[in-house]
mmCIF file of all heavy atoms in Angstrom:
data_model
loop_
_atom_site.group_PDB
_atom_site.id
_atom_site.type_symbol
_atom_site.label_atom_id
_atom_site.label_comp_id
_atom_site.label_asym_id
_atom_site.label_seq_id
_atom_site.Cartn_x
_atom_site.Cartn_y
_atom_site.Cartn_z
ATOM 1 N N LYS A 57 -4.050 -14.972 7.527
ATOM 2 C CA LYS A 57 -5.061 -14.252 6.746
ATOM 3 C C LYS A 57 -5.872 -13.383 7.686
ATOM 4 O O LYS A 57 -6.011 -13.679 8.867
ATOM 5 C CB LYS A 57 -5.980 -15.226 6.036
ATOM 6 C CG LYS A 57 -5.228 -16.176 5.118
ATOM 7 C CD LYS A 57 -5.886 -16.264 3.816
ATOM 8 C CE LYS A 57 -5.033 -17.126 2.891
ATOM 9 N NZ LYS A 57 -5.668 -17.331 1.648
ATOM 10 N N LYS A 58 -6.437 -12.307 7.114
ATOM 11 C CA LYS A 58 -7.225 -11.363 7.893
ATOM 12 C C LYS A 58 -8.512 -11.091 7.136
ATOM 13 O O LYS A 58 -8.490 -10.756 5.963
ATOM 14 C CB LYS A 58 -6.426 -10.074 8.081
ATOM 15 C CG LYS A 58 -7.023 -9.097 9.035
ATOM 16 C CD LYS A 58 -6.038 -7.940 9.234
ATOM 17 C CE LYS A 58 -6.469 -7.027 10.325
ATOM 18 N NZ LYS A 58 -5.479 -5.971 10.570
ATOM 19 N N LEU A 59 -9.633 -11.253 7.816
ATOM 20 C CA LEU A 59 -10.945 -11.043 7.225
ATOM 21 C C LEU A 59 -11.587 -9.835 7.898
ATOM 22 O O LEU A 59 -11.766 -9.820 9.119
ATOM 23 C CB LEU A 59 -11.792 -12.300 7.439
ATOM 24 C CG LEU A 59 -13.148 -12.387 6.787
ATOM 25 C CD1 LEU A 59 -13.031 -12.288 5.270
ATOM 26 C CD2 LEU A 59 -13.817 -13.690 7.169
ATOM 27 N N TYR A 60 -11.907 -8.810 7.112
ATOM 28 C CA TYR A 60 -12.512 -7.588 7.631
ATOM 29 C C TYR A 60 -13.997 -7.833 7.894
ATOM 30 O O TYR A 60 -14.720 -8.288 7.022
ATOM 31 C CB TYR A 60 -12.329 -6.455 6.612
ATOM 32 C CG TYR A 60 -13.015 -5.177 6.986
ATOM 33 C CD1 TYR A 60 -12.468 -4.337 7.942
ATOM 34 C CD2 TYR A 60 -14.210 -4.801 6.390
ATOM 35 C CE1 TYR A 60 -13.085 -3.153 8.295
ATOM 36 C CE2 TYR A 60 -14.838 -3.615 6.731
ATOM 37 C CZ TYR A 60 -14.275 -2.796 7.684
ATOM 38 O OH TYR A 60 -14.890 -1.624 8.029
ATOM 39 N N LEU A 61 -14.447 -7.536 9.108
ATOM 40 C CA LEU A 61 -15.850 -7.718 9.476
ATOM 41 C C LEU A 61 -16.590 -6.389 9.594
ATOM 42 O O LEU A 61 -17.806 -6.365 9.562
ATOM 43 C CB LEU A 61 -15.958 -8.491 10.795
ATOM 44 C CG LEU A 61 -15.280 -9.862 10.811
ATOM 45 C CD1 LEU A 61 -15.353 -10.474 12.193
ATOM 46 C CD2 LEU A 61 -15.894 -10.775 9.773
ATOM 47 N N GLY A 62 -15.875 -5.307 9.765
ATOM 48 C CA GLY A 62 -16.486 -3.978 9.805
ATOM 49 C C GLY A 62 -16.946 -3.558 11.181
ATOM 50 O O GLY A 62 -16.671 -4.197 12.191
ATOM 51 N N LYS A 63 -17.688 -2.461 11.196
ATOM 52 C CA LYS A 63 -18.243 -1.937 12.442
ATOM 53 C C LYS A 63 -19.534 -2.697 12.722
ATOM 54 O O LYS A 63 -20.500 -2.577 11.984
ATOM 55 C CB LYS A 63 -18.538 -0.445 12.307
ATOM 56 C CG LYS A 63 -17.287 0.397 12.149
ATOM 57 C CD LYS A 63 -17.639 1.862 12.097
ATOM 58 C CE LYS A 63 -16.376 2.694 11.963
ATOM 59 N NZ LYS A 63 -16.642 4.117 12.049
ATOM 60 N N THR A 64 -19.515 -3.507 13.759
ATOM 61 C CA THR A 64 -20.675 -4.332 14.093
ATOM 62 C C THR A 64 -20.725 -4.571 15.595
ATOM 63 O O THR A 64 -19.690 -4.562 16.262
ATOM 64 C CB THR A 64 -20.630 -5.685 13.346
ATOM 65 O OG1 THR A 64 -21.751 -6.466 13.733
ATOM 66 C CG2 THR A 64 -19.369 -6.458 13.621
ATOM 67 N N SER A 65 -21.909 -4.791 16.113
ATOM 68 C CA SER A 65 -22.058 -5.131 17.528
ATOM 69 C C SER A 65 -22.044 -6.652 17.718
ATOM 70 O O SER A 65 -22.041 -7.135 18.840
ATOM 71 C CB SER A 65 -23.352 -4.541 18.088
ATOM 72 O OG SER A 65 -24.458 -5.042 17.373
ATOM 73 N N ASP A 66 -22.054 -7.411 16.616
ATOM 74 C CA ASP A 66 -22.062 -8.870 16.659
ATOM 75 C C ASP A 66 -20.983 -9.431 15.720
ATOM 76 O O ASP A 66 -21.287 -9.897 14.617
ATOM 77 C CB ASP A 66 -23.446 -9.400 16.261
ATOM 78 C CG ASP A 66 -23.533 -10.913 16.281
ATOM 79 O OD1 ASP A 66 -22.699 -11.562 16.946
ATOM 80 O OD2 ASP A 66 -24.436 -11.458 15.611
ATOM 81 N N PRO A 67 -19.707 -9.387 16.134
ATOM 82 C CA PRO A 67 -18.646 -9.864 15.235
ATOM 83 C C PRO A 67 -18.743 -11.356 14.922
ATOM 84 O O PRO A 67 -18.417 -11.775 13.817
ATOM 85 C CB PRO A 67 -17.358 -9.537 15.981
ATOM 86 C CG PRO A 67 -17.752 -9.373 17.407
ATOM 87 C CD PRO A 67 -19.167 -8.887 17.400
ATOM 88 N N GLU A 68 -19.231 -12.150 15.879
ATOM 89 C CA GLU A 68 -19.368 -13.586 15.619
ATOM 90 C C GLU A 68 -20.397 -13.834 14.504
ATOM 91 O O GLU A 68 -20.175 -14.638 13.610
ATOM 92 C CB GLU A 68 -19.775 -14.336 16.890
ATOM 93 C CG GLU A 68 -18.710 -14.385 17.960
ATOM 94 C CD GLU A 68 -18.717 -13.185 18.905
ATOM 95 O OE1 GLU A 68 -19.483 -12.216 18.671
ATOM 96 O OE2 GLU A 68 -17.939 -13.208 19.872
ATOM 97 N N GLY A 69 -21.523 -13.132 14.556
ATOM 98 C CA GLY A 69 -22.555 -13.262 13.522
ATOM 99 C C GLY A 69 -22.064 -12.784 12.168
ATOM 100 O O GLY A 69 -22.343 -13.397 11.130
ATOM 101 N N ALA A 70 -21.295 -11.687 12.156
ATOM 102 C CA ALA A 70 -20.737 -11.173 10.903
ATOM 103 C C ALA A 70 -19.760 -12.178 10.305
ATOM 104 O O ALA A 70 -19.721 -12.375 9.095
ATOM 105 C CB ALA A 70 -20.051 -9.832 11.144
ATOM 106 N N LEU A 71 -18.987 -12.849 11.156
ATOM 107 C CA LEU A 71 -18.035 -13.849 10.677
ATOM 108 C C LEU A 71 -18.767 -15.048 10.081
ATOM 109 O O LEU A 71 -18.403 -15.529 9.009
ATOM 110 C CB LEU A 71 -17.123 -14.299 11.817
ATOM 111 C CG LEU A 71 -16.096 -15.365 11.460
ATOM 112 C CD1 LEU A 71 -15.156 -14.881 10.367
ATOM 113 C CD2 LEU A 71 -15.328 -15.787 12.700
ATOM 114 N N VAL A 72 -19.812 -15.522 10.745
ATOM 115 C CA VAL A 72 -20.592 -16.649 10.228
ATOM 116 C C VAL A 72 -21.156 -16.292 8.855
ATOM 117 O O VAL A 72 -21.096 -17.085 7.911
ATOM 118 C CB VAL A 72 -21.720 -17.034 11.216
ATOM 119 C CG1 VAL A 72 -22.716 -17.984 10.574
ATOM 120 C CG2 VAL A 72 -21.136 -17.652 12.466
ATOM 121 N N ALA A 73 -21.681 -15.077 8.714
ATOM 122 C CA ALA A 73 -22.252 -14.648 7.438
ATOM 123 C C ALA A 73 -21.186 -14.561 6.342
ATOM 124 O O ALA A 73 -21.426 -14.960 5.204
ATOM 125 C CB ALA A 73 -22.945 -13.304 7.606
ATOM 126 N N LYS A 74 -19.998 -14.069 6.670
ATOM 127 C CA LYS A 74 -18.936 -13.939 5.660
ATOM 128 C C LYS A 74 -18.368 -15.289 5.250
ATOM 129 O O LYS A 74 -17.925 -15.458 4.133
ATOM 130 C CB LYS A 74 -17.806 -13.055 6.183
ATOM 131 C CG LYS A 74 -18.162 -11.607 6.165
ATOM 132 C CD LYS A 74 -16.988 -10.784 5.743
ATOM 133 C CE LYS A 74 -17.463 -9.346 5.606
ATOM 134 N NZ LYS A 74 -16.535 -8.529 4.906
ATOM 135 N N ARG A 75 -18.375 -16.248 6.164
ATOM 136 C CA ARG A 75 -17.814 -17.562 5.853
ATOM 137 C C ARG A 75 -18.830 -18.503 5.214
ATOM 138 O O ARG A 75 -18.457 -19.581 4.770
ATOM 139 C CB ARG A 75 -17.245 -18.209 7.111
ATOM 140 C CG ARG A 75 -15.920 -17.611 7.523
ATOM 141 C CD ARG A 75 -15.346 -18.387 8.667
ATOM 142 N NE ARG A 75 -13.898 -18.386 8.597
ATOM 143 C CZ ARG A 75 -13.111 -19.043 9.426
ATOM 144 N NH1 ARG A 75 -13.630 -19.764 10.395
ATOM 145 N NH2 ARG A 75 -11.804 -18.991 9.293
ATOM 146 N N ALA A 76 -20.101 -18.131 5.170
ATOM 147 C CA ALA A 76 -21.125 -18.980 4.556
ATOM 148 C C ALA A 76 -20.871 -19.053 3.052
ATOM 149 O O ALA A 76 -20.459 -18.068 2.438
ATOM 150 C CB ALA A 76 -22.508 -18.406 4.818
ATOM 151 N N PRO A 77 -21.111 -20.219 2.450
ATOM 152 C CA PRO A 77 -20.958 -20.320 1.000
ATOM 153 C C PRO A 77 -21.833 -19.283 0.297
ATOM 154 O O PRO A 77 -22.927 -18.976 0.759
ATOM 155 C CB PRO A 77 -21.424 -21.739 0.682
ATOM 156 C CG PRO A 77 -21.298 -22.486 1.961
ATOM 157 C CD PRO A 77 -21.517 -21.466 3.052
ATOM 158 N N SER A 78 -21.359 -18.760 -0.789
ATOM 159 C CA SER A 78 -22.074 -17.715 -1.523
ATOM 160 C C SER A 78 -23.487 -18.161 -1.887
ATOM 161 O O SER A 78 -23.699 -19.260 -2.381
ATOM 162 C CB SER A 78 -21.295 -17.379 -2.798
ATOM 163 O OG SER A 78 -21.918 -16.329 -3.477
ATOM 164 N N GLY A 79 -24.450 -17.290 -1.606
ATOM 165 C CA GLY A 79 -25.830 -17.587 -1.936
ATOM 166 C C GLY A 79 -26.556 -18.425 -0.911
ATOM 167 O O GLY A 79 -27.718 -18.730 -1.067
ATOM 168 N N GLN A 80 -25.849 -18.823 0.153
ATOM 169 C CA GLN A 80 -26.485 -19.645 1.178
ATOM 170 C C GLN A 80 -26.559 -18.876 2.481
ATOM 171 O O GLN A 80 -25.663 -18.123 2.827
ATOM 172 C CB GLN A 80 -25.665 -20.909 1.421
ATOM 173 C CG GLN A 80 -26.419 -22.147 1.090
ATOM 174 C CD GLN A 80 -25.604 -23.367 1.480
ATOM 175 O OE1 GLN A 80 -24.414 -23.301 1.725
ATOM 176 N NE2 GLN A 80 -26.252 -24.482 1.522
ATOM 177 N N SER A 81 -27.615 -19.084 3.197
ATOM 178 C CA SER A 81 -27.787 -18.465 4.496
ATOM 179 C C SER A 81 -26.912 -19.191 5.517
ATOM 180 O O SER A 81 -26.824 -20.413 5.498
ATOM 181 C CB SER A 81 -29.247 -18.535 4.924
ATOM 182 O OG SER A 81 -29.368 -18.150 6.267
ATOM 183 N N PRO A 82 -26.266 -18.465 6.426
ATOM 184 C CA PRO A 82 -25.476 -19.134 7.457
ATOM 185 C C PRO A 82 -26.349 -19.844 8.484
ATOM 186 O O PRO A 82 -25.855 -20.560 9.321
ATOM 187 C CB PRO A 82 -24.699 -17.984 8.102
ATOM 188 C CG PRO A 82 -25.482 -16.760 7.794
ATOM 189 C CD PRO A 82 -26.164 -17.021 6.483
ATOM 190 N N TRP A 83 -27.688 -19.676 8.413
ATOM 191 C CA TRP A 83 -28.599 -20.262 9.382
ATOM 192 C C TRP A 83 -29.352 -21.461 8.827
ATOM 193 O O TRP A 83 -30.398 -21.811 9.312
ATOM 194 C CB TRP A 83 -29.579 -19.196 9.881
ATOM 195 C CG TRP A 83 -28.840 -18.124 10.585
ATOM 196 C CD1 TRP A 83 -28.387 -18.139 11.868
ATOM 197 C CD2 TRP A 83 -28.413 -16.887 10.035
ATOM 198 N NE1 TRP A 83 -27.714 -16.983 12.144
ATOM 199 C CE2 TRP A 83 -27.714 -16.195 11.034
ATOM 200 C CE3 TRP A 83 -28.548 -16.284 8.793
ATOM 201 C CZ2 TRP A 83 -27.155 -14.944 10.835
ATOM 202 C CZ3 TRP A 83 -27.988 -15.034 8.601
ATOM 203 C CH2 TRP A 83 -27.305 -14.388 9.617
ATOM 204 N N GLY A 84 -28.871 -22.076 7.784
ATOM 205 C CA GLY A 84 -29.534 -23.282 7.304
ATOM 206 C C GLY A 84 -29.742 -23.290 5.805
ATOM 207 O O GLY A 84 -28.950 -22.750 5.046
#
Side-chain angles (χ1 to χ4, degrees):
K57 302 227 175 176
K58 189 174 189 176
L59 186 60
Y60 175 77
L61 303 175
K63 293 183 179 186
T64 178
S65 59
D66 180 20
E68 291 87 353
L71 179 60
V72 168
K74 284 219 174 194
R75 284 186 148 184
S78 183
Q80 242 186 345
S81 170
W83 297 279

